[in-house]
Amino acid sequence: NAGVMQNPRHLVRRRGQEARLRCSPMKGHSHVYWYRQLPEEGLKFMVYLQKENIIDESGMPKERFSAEFPKEGPSILRIQQVVRGDSAAYFCASSRGDSNQPQHFGDGTRLSIL
Amino acid sequence: AQSVTQLDSQVPVFEEAPVELRCNYSSSVSVYLFWYVQYPNQGLQLLLKYLSGSTLVKGINGFEAEFNKSQTSFHLRKPSVHISDTAEYFCAVSTTPYNTDKLIFGTGTRLQVFP
């Protein structure tokens, strides 16, 4: 009964490279949320997706960041041309969306930019 | 818009002592309230939630919280802490009970339990 799976757990990139973070929701969950946690801060909402649809991207930076949740496969958070300020822990959460159940979180991907 | 304030960034306490972690929120609409715990290098685990009904909510690991609408607070308490409770605790609000909306988090409180 696997929980939310995120990979990689740690990702190191040089400035200007691309970072791709993956999230497989819990079985039966069709709603995915991405949050970012900067050092010494709380989690900040980035984007909320359902299969093949972006529902709310109000927390996404306007440039370089994109997210998708295709019909098949994991959700992907993509950061192009990374900068030092992108260094953070990125968490994915999933839920059924139609029942009285909370969001379940993955263990996160820690992104370090050199 | 909703916001969450956790008044204490760090709370040191001795083992077996009681603890209270404070959380206040602001919102122009009804909110639903959550406490999550984060152990080092791990994701967030739900401790408890308030959706409706009794204002005293019991969660896992002996934690409980009380929803106070007039004071817009949702403080987390435990009567006797263990070393293993050392972690970061986050209070969060949502505008829907079914979590189809985003969670707004406080900045967290680091609970450190000393022997």
Side-chain angles (χ1 to χ4, degrees):
Chain A
N1 193 17
V4 178
M5 303 300 292
Q6 289 188 249
N7 69 82
R9 290 293 308 277
H10 300 274
L11 181 60
V12 180
R13 286 287 178 266
R14 296 188 183 279
R15 281 177 293 172
Q17 291 184 321
E18 178 182 286
R20 291 170 73 89
L21 288 61
R22 296 175 185 77
C23 170
S24 296
M26 283 182 69
K27 187 176 181 180
H29 287 189
S30 59
H31 296 234
V32 165
Y33 309 78
W34 285 93
Y35 294 84
R36 177 166 65 175
Q37 184 179 31
L38 294 170
E40 306 301 320
E41 292 188 19
L43 280 74
K44 295 281 197 286
F45 168 78
M46 299 182 75
V47 62
Y48 161 40
L49 311 103
Q50 296 178 25
K51 285 284 188 181
E52 300 184 283
N53 286 306
I54 296 175
I55 306 303
D56 181 352
E57 57 181 348
S58 58
M60 287 280 269
K62 298 300 180 194
E63 298 177 344
R64 302 188 296 109
F65 285 71
S66 62
E68 62 177 9
F69 188 18
K71 188 176 180 181
E72 302 290 338
S75 175
I76 306 286
L77 179 67
R78 183 181 177 205
I79 311 172
Q80 295 178 290
Q81 299 174 334
V82 296
V83 301
R84 287 258 171 87
D86 297 332
S87 294
Y90 292 82
F91 290 95
C92 171
S94 73
S95 73
R96 284 202 181 96
D98 59 353
S99 63
N100 191 9
Q101 295 294 321
Q103 293 179 25
H104 293 261
F105 282 79
D107 285 343
T109 293
R110 272 124 188 112
L111 176 64
S112 298
I113 309 301
L114 301 180
Chain B
Q2 295 79 38
S3 68
V4 178
T5 302
Q6 291 184 246
L7 297 166
D8 306 300
S9 59
Q10 294 189 50
V11 173
V13 64
F14 286 110
E15 195 173 20
E16 297 183 9
V19 71
E20 178 180 83
L21 306 183
R22 296 181 291 171
C23 172
N24 288 86
Y25 68 91
S26 67
S27 176
S28 57
V29 299
S30 295
V31 295
Y32 305 92
L33 297 150
F34 307 83
W35 275 99
Y36 283 85
V37 60
Q38 184 181 32
Y39 298 103
N41 297 314
Q42 293 186 24
L44 277 69
Q45 180 182 1
L46 181 71
L47 275 178
L48 48 78
K49 60 187 178 186
Y50 172 78
L51 302 181
S52 64
S54 173
T55 57
L56 183 62
V57 180
K58 293 192 183 298
I60 62 171
N61 300 342
F63 284 92
E64 63 181 31
E66 186 156 19
F67 171 57
N68 188 319
K69 189 174 182 180
S70 63
Q71 297 188 3
T72 61
S73 68
F74 191 55
H75 300 332
L76 181 71
R77 301 186 184 97
K78 186 170 182 178
S80 175
V81 295
H82 301 286
I83 295 285
S84 59
D85 293 323
T86 295
E88 189 92 19
Y89 291 79
F90 292 97
C91 181
V93 303
S94 169
T95 55
T96 68
Y98 303 120
N99 282 275
T100 57
D101 201 356
K102 58 195 175 192
L103 289 169
I104 308 296
F105 286 89
T107 50
T109 297
R110 190 180 305 272
L111 175 64
Q112 188 152 12
V113 182
F114 294 93

